[in-house]
Structure formats: C-alpha cells, structure tokens
Amino acid sequence: MRHFSHAVVTGGAGFLGSHLCDRLLAAGTRVTCLDNFLTGGPENVEHLQSNEAFRLIKTDVTDFIHIRGPVDLVLHFASPASPVDYLRLPIETMKVGSIGTLHALGLAKDKGARFLLASTSEAYGDPQVHPQSEDYWGHVNPVGPRGVYDEAKRFAEALTMAYRTTHATDTAIVRIFNTYGPRMRADDGRAIPTFLRQALDGAPVTVAGDGTQTRSVCYVDDTVAGVLAVAASDLPGPVNVGCPEEMTVLALAQSIVSATGSRSPITFVDRPVDDPMVRRPDISLIRRELGWQPQVSWNEGLSLTLASLTAPAPA
Ligand code: NAD
C-alpha cells in the first residue's frame, strides 16, 4: 500500500469528495480541494477549514488547474452526479467530463502523480448483462437524456486510458455504484435522499414505476474505503466499487418509511426515460485483488444516515 503526501481532490466539496477529504486527512495526507460549488458546497468541508493540512480553492476545473509544489495523488470527482443535476446541467456535465478530465490528467502527468477517475455504473447504461463486471461494455443510449452523463464518463475513461498508454501516466478508473450516506443533498433527486425527505416530512413516498426495478446501494464509508484502496494499489481499472446486495426500489422505500417511523403512504409515479431496470456490481475483481468488500449493512447505513439528518444543528 502506498502512502500519499499531497492529494488534489476535484469536486472535493461534494458528497463523495468531502468524505474522501476526511479520510485522506485522517491518514496524514495533505489535501487540496478544487470545487466550483456547482452541485456541492463549502458547508460540506466547513469542519476541515481549521485543519492546516487542508486547502479549499473555489475554481472551475474546466478553466484550468494550477497547483504549486509536489502532488502525488489526483482524485477526479468533479461532476454533477444525480439525474436531477445532470439533466439540469447537461453542458456543464459534458464539459467537466471532457475538458475537466483533460485538465486533471494534465496535472497528474505534470506532477508524476497517481490519477484516479471517478467513473460510474452508469457507464453500463441499462445493462443487458447481470450482474455487471468490468469487462461488460454497456448498453448506453448516447442521444437519450442521460447520455450527457453516461457518455461524458465513457469519454473520460477513454481519455484516462489514452494518457496511460501515450504518456505513461499512472492512472486508475473506478466505476462507482449508487452510494448513500450523510451529506447527500435532500433535493438531489436520487431515490434514498428523496424517500428520506418525504418520509420525514410525512409526505407521500414516490416510487418510480411499479418499484420492481433494482438498485444496489453502498454506504459512503465503504465506497470511500474502496476508492482509496484502488488509489493506493497499482490497479489500472476499471474496477467496480459498490455493494452486491440488490434490492427493489419498492423495498428501499418500505424500509425507509419503517426506519423513520413515518405514516407516509407509498405512491407510484412515472419512471424516468432510460431508467435502468437492474443494477448490481460484480465485485470479484476488487475482492480478489485488494480484499475489499462492503462492511456496513443497509440497516446500519440507513440508521447512520438518518441520525445525520435528524441530529440537532450545532449551536
Ligand atoms: P456531488 O454533486 O455531491 O459532487 C460533485 C462535486 O463536483 C460538487 O461539489 C460540484 O460542485 C463539483 N463540480 C462540478 N463541476 C465542477 C467543475 N467544473 N469544477 C469544479 N468542481 C465541479 O456528487 P457526488 O455524488 O459526490 O459524486 C462525485 C463523483 O462521483 C462524480 O464524478 C460522480 O459521477 C461520481 N459517482 C458518484 C456516485 C454516487 O452514488 N454518489 C456514483 C457513481 C459515480
């Protein structure tokens, strides 16, 4: 396992990025966080501002990236990530996946740093192979509404491989599956924060379609541990990081209603266009190579998430 002295995290003020910053700092790594606060915000890293090893720079990584001094790890997490966000910000999403990735790769190349791309299970699209292993090429509709995100990530993967083969940059690609936990935005449109907000407000919990479509959800601490294990290895990827336990969306909604003690009814709404029917990672590769697998059960993760939402605000 390698130790890193100075990591640059693009999108570090977002949900996953902020947890990565926490974990890197705890491991003794200096962290520079680059974020334009498009879908994240400084409040996610507020608790780190007094830490001398942490620096937050407000910048758009599609403009340019310049960092003084040595850097030995670049984690490229900047990108709108929830359907509500990338459907509202299609061009920004494609720019950060293409030009932003180019700039982040350029930084890693210049500094001789390890580079890790946050790709996504959406690279598999609406999959025709189940579960999804890394050698599956996917089933993506490039001209559908979700194409802006899926294709930006697929382009980013191809660009990452081009830097590896052309410039010998030390690169890694992780394909992250649905992750949940504290600091998700309640209004980001993803199923878990939406159901939690609705259940806590006593509003109807809106399940898309008939709720038989499946998702595999991973608690954020597990995802972050998986990402950092890949970063500290020599694996080029792509490597799936996610939880192989599959649940129907209806079962997710029901367990959220019950965990919150809510009296909310469950109602059914239209399914979004190109919404995948099934989603489950095959994590044999990361399990075999790095011994990583999720540790936090859905019930445990749900109560940790709920506790973060209902905790009294600091005085
Ligand atoms: P998020 O929206 O909370 O975080 C993304 C961050 O990137 C935000 O803070 C945003 O302000 C920043 N950003 C966007 N464009 C930028 C730009 N041009 N310059 C600088 N900063 C910019 O989303 P997240 O859920 O934390 O996702 C982070 C990364 O992980 C994304 O790349 C996403 O595709 C990937 N991912 C997340 C999940 C998940 O379940 N959360 C699953 C698969 C992949």
Side-chain angles (χ1 to χ4, degrees), residues 240-263:
N240 286 340
V241 174
C243 176
E245 266 169 48
E246 194 176 1
M247 269 189 294
T248 66
V249 171
L250 182 58
L252 269 176
Q254 285 163 336
S255 56
I256 287 176
V257 171
S258 124
T260 50
S262 168
R263 299 162 72 95

PDB file of all heavy atoms in Angstrom, residues 240-263:
ATOM      1  N   ASN A 240     -14.894  -2.060 -10.322  1.00  0.00           N
ATOM      2  CA  ASN A 240     -16.200  -1.759  -9.721  1.00  0.00           C
ATOM      3  C   ASN A 240     -16.052  -1.546  -8.225  1.00  0.00           C
ATOM      4  O   ASN A 240     -15.359  -2.321  -7.547  1.00  0.00           O
ATOM      5  CB  ASN A 240     -17.166  -2.935  -9.901  1.00  0.00           C
ATOM      6  CG  ASN A 240     -17.682  -3.073 -11.321  1.00  0.00           C
ATOM      7  OD1 ASN A 240     -17.638  -2.125 -12.102  1.00  0.00           O
ATOM      8  ND2 ASN A 240     -18.196  -4.254 -11.653  1.00  0.00           N
ATOM      9  N   VAL A 241     -16.714  -0.514  -7.712  1.00  0.00           N
ATOM     10  CA  VAL A 241     -16.792  -0.300  -6.264  1.00  0.00           C
ATOM     11  C   VAL A 241     -18.275  -0.137  -5.940  1.00  0.00           C
ATOM     12  O   VAL A 241     -18.911   0.819  -6.400  1.00  0.00           O
ATOM     13  CB  VAL A 241     -16.014   0.958  -5.817  1.00  0.00           C
ATOM     14  CG1 VAL A 241     -16.242   1.228  -4.335  1.00  0.00           C
ATOM     15  CG2 VAL A 241     -14.523   0.812  -6.110  1.00  0.00           C
ATOM     16  N   GLY A 242     -18.812  -1.074  -5.192  1.00  0.00           N
ATOM     17  CA  GLY A 242     -20.232  -0.990  -4.863  1.00  0.00           C
ATOM     18  C   GLY A 242     -20.633  -2.180  -4.024  1.00  0.00           C
ATOM     19  O   GLY A 242     -19.807  -3.038  -3.702  1.00  0.00           O
ATOM     20  N   CYS A 243     -21.911  -2.194  -3.695  1.00  0.00           N
ATOM     21  CA  CYS A 243     -22.419  -3.257  -2.829  1.00  0.00           C
ATOM     22  C   CYS A 243     -23.207  -4.247  -3.671  1.00  0.00           C
ATOM     23  O   CYS A 243     -24.124  -3.851  -4.393  1.00  0.00           O
ATOM     24  CB  CYS A 243     -23.300  -2.638  -1.755  1.00  0.00           C
ATOM     25  SG  CYS A 243     -24.063  -3.881  -0.727  1.00  0.00           S
ATOM     26  N   PRO A 244     -22.852  -5.547  -3.613  1.00  0.00           N
ATOM     27  CA  PRO A 244     -23.532  -6.508  -4.481  1.00  0.00           C
ATOM     28  C   PRO A 244     -24.901  -6.953  -3.969  1.00  0.00           C
ATOM     29  O   PRO A 244     -25.537  -7.800  -4.593  1.00  0.00           O
ATOM     30  CB  PRO A 244     -22.550  -7.685  -4.520  1.00  0.00           C
ATOM     31  CG  PRO A 244     -21.714  -7.551  -3.311  1.00  0.00           C
ATOM     32  CD  PRO A 244     -21.733  -6.128  -2.868  1.00  0.00           C
ATOM     33  N   GLU A 245     -25.373  -6.385  -2.848  1.00  0.00           N
ATOM     34  CA  GLU A 245     -26.716  -6.764  -2.384  1.00  0.00           C
ATOM     35  C   GLU A 245     -27.749  -5.937  -3.137  1.00  0.00           C
ATOM     36  O   GLU A 245     -27.704  -4.713  -3.089  1.00  0.00           O
ATOM     37  CB  GLU A 245     -26.858  -6.509  -0.893  1.00  0.00           C
ATOM     38  CG  GLU A 245     -26.560  -7.736  -0.077  1.00  0.00           C
ATOM     39  CD  GLU A 245     -26.449  -7.393   1.381  1.00  0.00           C
ATOM     40  OE1 GLU A 245     -27.335  -6.682   1.893  1.00  0.00           O
ATOM     41  OE2 GLU A 245     -25.437  -7.806   1.990  1.00  0.00           O
ATOM     42  N   GLU A 246     -28.675  -6.651  -3.781  1.00  0.00           N
ATOM     43  CA  GLU A 246     -29.620  -5.978  -4.669  1.00  0.00           C
ATOM     44  C   GLU A 246     -30.985  -5.879  -3.996  1.00  0.00           C
ATOM     45  O   GLU A 246     -31.430  -6.841  -3.376  1.00  0.00           O
ATOM     46  CB  GLU A 246     -29.713  -6.840  -5.931  1.00  0.00           C
ATOM     47  CG  GLU A 246     -30.350  -6.203  -7.099  1.00  0.00           C
ATOM     48  CD  GLU A 246     -30.273  -7.149  -8.314  1.00  0.00           C
ATOM     49  OE1 GLU A 246     -29.740  -8.269  -8.199  1.00  0.00           O
ATOM     50  OE2 GLU A 246     -30.771  -6.756  -9.370  1.00  0.00           O
ATOM     51  N   MET A 247     -31.612  -4.717  -4.103  1.00  0.00           N
ATOM     52  CA  MET A 247     -32.937  -4.540  -3.506  1.00  0.00           C
ATOM     53  C   MET A 247     -33.859  -3.895  -4.530  1.00  0.00           C
ATOM     54  O   MET A 247     -33.395  -3.083  -5.342  1.00  0.00           O
ATOM     55  CB  MET A 247     -32.840  -3.548  -2.341  1.00  0.00           C
ATOM     56  CG  MET A 247     -32.571  -4.186  -1.006  1.00  0.00           C
ATOM     57  SD  MET A 247     -32.735  -2.946   0.282  1.00  0.00           S
ATOM     58  CE  MET A 247     -31.404  -1.871  -0.072  1.00  0.00           C
ATOM     59  N   THR A 248     -35.151  -4.173  -4.450  1.00  0.00           N
ATOM     60  CA  THR A 248     -36.058  -3.442  -5.333  1.00  0.00           C
ATOM     61  C   THR A 248     -36.217  -2.031  -4.770  1.00  0.00           C
ATOM     62  O   THR A 248     -36.031  -1.801  -3.566  1.00  0.00           O
ATOM     63  CB  THR A 248     -37.451  -4.101  -5.428  1.00  0.00           C
ATOM     64  OG1 THR A 248     -38.071  -4.010  -4.148  1.00  0.00           O
ATOM     65  CG2 THR A 248     -37.360  -5.542  -5.876  1.00  0.00           C
ATOM     66  N   VAL A 249     -36.563  -1.103  -5.656  1.00  0.00           N
ATOM     67  CA  VAL A 249     -36.764   0.278  -5.224  1.00  0.00           C
ATOM     68  C   VAL A 249     -37.939   0.346  -4.233  1.00  0.00           C
ATOM     69  O   VAL A 249     -37.913   1.105  -3.263  1.00  0.00           O
ATOM     70  CB  VAL A 249     -36.958   1.201  -6.442  1.00  0.00           C
ATOM     71  CG1 VAL A 249     -37.382   2.593  -6.038  1.00  0.00           C
ATOM     72  CG2 VAL A 249     -35.656   1.256  -7.260  1.00  0.00           C
ATOM     73  N   LEU A 250     -38.934  -0.528  -4.439  1.00  0.00           N
ATOM     74  CA  LEU A 250     -40.069  -0.556  -3.504  1.00  0.00           C
ATOM     75  C   LEU A 250     -39.600  -0.986  -2.102  1.00  0.00           C
ATOM     76  O   LEU A 250     -39.987  -0.378  -1.097  1.00  0.00           O
ATOM     77  CB  LEU A 250     -41.157  -1.511  -4.030  1.00  0.00           C
ATOM     78  CG  LEU A 250     -42.415  -1.603  -3.176  1.00  0.00           C
ATOM     79  CD1 LEU A 250     -43.081  -0.238  -3.006  1.00  0.00           C
ATOM     80  CD2 LEU A 250     -43.420  -2.593  -3.794  1.00  0.00           C
ATOM     81  N   ALA A 251     -38.727  -1.993  -2.047  1.00  0.00           N
ATOM     82  CA  ALA A 251     -38.225  -2.448  -0.733  1.00  0.00           C
ATOM     83  C   ALA A 251     -37.407  -1.340  -0.053  1.00  0.00           C
ATOM     84  O   ALA A 251     -37.490  -1.152   1.170  1.00  0.00           O
ATOM     85  CB  ALA A 251     -37.383  -3.708  -0.906  1.00  0.00           C
ATOM     86  N   LEU A 252     -36.643  -0.599  -0.844  1.00  0.00           N
ATOM     87  CA  LEU A 252     -35.888   0.548  -0.296  1.00  0.00           C
ATOM     88  C   LEU A 252     -36.854   1.536   0.354  1.00  0.00           C
ATOM     89  O   LEU A 252     -36.643   1.980   1.488  1.00  0.00           O
ATOM     90  CB  LEU A 252     -35.180   1.287  -1.433  1.00  0.00           C
ATOM     91  CG  LEU A 252     -33.778   0.917  -1.826  1.00  0.00           C
ATOM     92  CD1 LEU A 252     -33.350   1.734  -3.037  1.00  0.00           C
ATOM     93  CD2 LEU A 252     -32.820   1.195  -0.698  1.00  0.00           C
ATOM     94  N   ALA A 253     -37.915   1.867  -0.393  1.00  0.00           N
ATOM     95  CA  ALA A 253     -38.895   2.845   0.098  1.00  0.00           C
ATOM     96  C   ALA A 253     -39.558   2.331   1.369  1.00  0.00           C
ATOM     97  O   ALA A 253     -39.692   3.066   2.357  1.00  0.00           O
ATOM     98  CB  ALA A 253     -39.937   3.119  -0.984  1.00  0.00           C
ATOM     99  N   GLN A 254     -39.927   1.049   1.358  1.00  0.00           N
ATOM    100  CA  GLN A 254     -40.614   0.498   2.538  1.00  0.00           C
ATOM    101  C   GLN A 254     -39.709   0.533   3.762  1.00  0.00           C
ATOM    102  O   GLN A 254     -40.146   0.880   4.857  1.00  0.00           O
ATOM    103  CB  GLN A 254     -41.067  -0.949   2.257  1.00  0.00           C
ATOM    104  CG  GLN A 254     -42.279  -0.995   1.348  1.00  0.00           C
ATOM    105  CD  GLN A 254     -42.513  -2.369   0.719  1.00  0.00           C
ATOM    106  OE1 GLN A 254     -41.573  -3.167   0.577  1.00  0.00           O
ATOM    107  NE2 GLN A 254     -43.751  -2.631   0.317  1.00  0.00           N
ATOM    108  N   SER A 255     -38.421   0.193   3.592  1.00  0.00           N
ATOM    109  CA  SER A 255     -37.567   0.180   4.784  1.00  0.00           C
ATOM    110  C   SER A 255     -37.290   1.604   5.276  1.00  0.00           C
ATOM    111  O   SER A 255     -37.125   1.825   6.471  1.00  0.00           O
ATOM    112  CB  SER A 255     -36.287  -0.632   4.579  1.00  0.00           C
ATOM    113  OG  SER A 255     -35.596  -0.163   3.485  1.00  0.00           O
ATOM    114  N   ILE A 256     -37.300   2.587   4.374  1.00  0.00           N
ATOM    115  CA  ILE A 256     -37.114   3.977   4.814  1.00  0.00           C
ATOM    116  C   ILE A 256     -38.352   4.454   5.585  1.00  0.00           C
ATOM    117  O   ILE A 256     -38.239   5.071   6.642  1.00  0.00           O
ATOM    118  CB  ILE A 256     -36.776   4.883   3.605  1.00  0.00           C
ATOM    119  CG1 ILE A 256     -35.340   4.588   3.161  1.00  0.00           C
ATOM    120  CG2 ILE A 256     -36.964   6.362   3.948  1.00  0.00           C
ATOM    121  CD1 ILE A 256     -34.868   5.310   1.931  1.00  0.00           C
ATOM    122  N   VAL A 257     -39.523   4.120   5.091  1.00  0.00           N
ATOM    123  CA  VAL A 257     -40.749   4.504   5.808  1.00  0.00           C
ATOM    124  C   VAL A 257     -40.728   3.873   7.200  1.00  0.00           C
ATOM    125  O   VAL A 257     -40.986   4.537   8.210  1.00  0.00           O
ATOM    126  CB  VAL A 257     -42.013   4.078   5.017  1.00  0.00           C
ATOM    127  CG1 VAL A 257     -43.271   4.266   5.849  1.00  0.00           C
ATOM    128  CG2 VAL A 257     -42.109   4.879   3.724  1.00  0.00           C
ATOM    129  N   SER A 258     -40.326   2.626   7.268  1.00  0.00           N
ATOM    130  CA  SER A 258     -40.368   1.972   8.579  1.00  0.00           C
ATOM    131  C   SER A 258     -39.260   2.494   9.502  1.00  0.00           C
ATOM    132  O   SER A 258     -39.507   2.751  10.672  1.00  0.00           O
ATOM    133  CB  SER A 258     -40.385   0.458   8.366  1.00  0.00           C
ATOM    134  OG  SER A 258     -39.366  -0.167   9.025  1.00  0.00           O
ATOM    135  N   ALA A 259     -38.048   2.739   8.975  1.00  0.00           N
ATOM    136  CA  ALA A 259     -36.955   3.235   9.840  1.00  0.00           C
ATOM    137  C   ALA A 259     -37.240   4.639  10.385  1.00  0.00           C
ATOM    138  O   ALA A 259     -36.786   4.989  11.474  1.00  0.00           O
ATOM    139  CB  ALA A 259     -35.635   3.245   9.070  1.00  0.00           C
ATOM    140  N   THR A 260     -37.984   5.437   9.617  1.00  0.00           N
ATOM    141  CA  THR A 260     -38.272   6.803  10.083  1.00  0.00           C
ATOM    142  C   THR A 260     -39.519   6.839  10.973  1.00  0.00           C
ATOM    143  O   THR A 260     -39.848   7.879  11.532  1.00  0.00           O
ATOM    144  CB  THR A 260     -38.523   7.753   8.883  1.00  0.00           C
ATOM    145  OG1 THR A 260     -39.487   7.139   8.026  1.00  0.00           O
ATOM    146  CG2 THR A 260     -37.269   8.023   8.092  1.00  0.00           C
ATOM    147  N   GLY A 261     -40.226   5.705  11.078  1.00  0.00           N
ATOM    148  CA  GLY A 261     -41.465   5.670  11.854  1.00  0.00           C
ATOM    149  C   GLY A 261     -42.528   6.566  11.233  1.00  0.00           C
ATOM    150  O   GLY A 261     -43.411   7.072  11.920  1.00  0.00           O
ATOM    151  N   SER A 262     -42.432   6.744   9.915  1.00  0.00           N
ATOM    152  CA  SER A 262     -43.324   7.680   9.222  1.00  0.00           C
ATOM    153  C   SER A 262     -44.669   7.020   8.891  1.00  0.00           C
ATOM    154  O   SER A 262     -44.765   5.796   8.773  1.00  0.00           O
ATOM    155  CB  SER A 262     -42.639   8.121   7.930  1.00  0.00           C
ATOM    156  OG  SER A 262     -43.522   8.798   7.104  1.00  0.00           O
ATOM    157  N   ARG A 263     -45.698   7.858   8.761  1.00  0.00           N
ATOM    158  CA  ARG A 263     -47.011   7.352   8.330  1.00  0.00           C
ATOM    159  C   ARG A 263     -47.233   7.653   6.850  1.00  0.00           C
ATOM    160  O   ARG A 263     -48.345   7.557   6.348  1.00  0.00           O
ATOM    161  CB  ARG A 263     -48.104   7.999   9.177  1.00  0.00           C
ATOM    162  CG  ARG A 263     -47.954   7.683  10.654  1.00  0.00           C
ATOM    163  CD  ARG A 263     -48.751   8.662  11.493  1.00  0.00           C
ATOM    164  NE  ARG A 263     -50.184   8.424  11.375  1.00  0.00           N
ATOM    165  CZ  ARG A 263     -50.898   7.684  12.227  1.00  0.00           C
ATOM    166  NH1 ARG A 263     -50.295   7.117  13.258  1.00  0.00           N
ATOM    167  NH2 ARG A 263     -52.181   7.523  12.064  1.00  0.00           N
TER     168      ARG A 263
END
